[in-house]
Amino acid sequence: MTAVAEDPLALTRRLRRDDGPDLLFRPLRHADAERLAAFLEGLSPESRRLSTFDGYDLASARESCDAIARYDKLRLVLEEVPSGRIVGLLEISLVLHPSDIARYREAGIRLEATDCRFGPTLADDHQGRGTGTRVFPLVRDVAQRFGKKRIILWGGVLADNPRAIRYYEKQGFQTAGSFTDTDGTRALDMILDLASATAPVTARDAGRPLDG
């Protein structure tokens, strides 16, 4: 984490788009607090239902920025070029939660230290436009750089969110089971084996290095 904070360009890629501004895929920076707050504040009630955070204001954004390289979480953002507007937050946790380990064990899957958790959130105007599909090869690459072999969904995916379920299935995720959250909401656990993922990583789909 410290190495990423010191050299964020190592994980920075530019996604070329024909239907809108190019996107920069990069690690969250300490100076991003206000732009991250604008992203969180702009999420609709439905987006907040599907992607829950502790808060959606400047204080929460500052907390995320202050946590850079301090814990097990790697936060990456999608930034519109040249406006600098943040339109996506992609979170990867390199350490598993005991509740995840227990749920997957009940489903007959033993989680290992080489597994990680992933949770994406896109701005409302970037949902349903293929942005998530374009960026996922970069997420796979980041996970593999950290020595991870499988990805599970952070908190699962709500069972009443068929669009998200189709998206994850398209990326190669398999359903591992279901559970009911504390508020009574039903969710699905899904897991991706990176070794068997077949989606190609091309220069166009996975983005280009800044010097490319």
Side-chain angles (χ1 to χ4, degrees), residues 68-125:
I68 293 173
R70 293 177 56 192
Y71 305 106
D72 67 301
K73 297 178 180 65
L74 174 62
R75 292 184 171 94
L76 303 127
V77 298
L78 290 176
E79 172 191 316
E80 284 187 343
V81 179
S83 71
R85 175 191 170 216
I86 290 178
V87 297
L89 177 62
L90 312 163
E91 299 183 292
I92 298 175
S93 176
L94 303 177
V95 176
L96 300 172
H97 194 277
S99 62
D100 294 321
I101 296 173
R103 285 201 317 275
Y104 277 82
R105 184 186 299 119
E106 290 179 0
I109 299 173
R110 180 178 177 180
L111 297 180
E112 308 282 355
T114 51
D115 300 327
C116 65
R117 297 184 293 164
F118 167 63
T121 305
L122 296 179
D124 284 69
D125 60 331

Side-chain angles (χ1 to χ4, degrees), residues 144-165:
Q144 290 175 315
R145 284 174 181 240
F146 278 90
K148 301 303 179 179
K149 296 181 180 179
R150 295 184 299 187
I151 300 176
I152 68 171
L153 297 186
W154 196 325
V157 56
L158 294 183
D160 65 354
N161 188 2
R163 185 171 71 176
I165 294 172

Side-chain angles (χ1 to χ4, degrees), residues 13-16 134 137-138 201-209:
R13 296 291 184 271
R14 184 165 179 151
L15 286 166
R16 308 288 183 182
R134 293 281 306 281
L138 298 177
V201 181
T202 65
R204 180 173 181 79
D205 291 333
R208 300 175 183 272

Side-chain angles (χ1 to χ4, degrees), residues 15-23 126 129-131 134 204-205 208:
L15 286 166
R16 308 288 183 182
R17 300 172 66 220
D18 297 326
D19 59 346
D22 287 355
L23 298 176
H126 277 263
R129 296 176 54 188
T131 301
R134 293 281 306 281
R204 180 173 181 79
D205 291 333
R208 300 175 183 272

Side-chain angles (χ1 to χ4, degrees), residues 35-56:
R35 286 188 291 179
L36 180 60
F39 165 76
L40 293 172
E41 291 168 355
L43 294 174
S44 68
E46 178 64 6
S47 291
R48 295 185 185 195
R49 183 183 77 88
L50 299 175
S51 294
T52 57
F53 296 97
D54 291 336
Y56 301 85

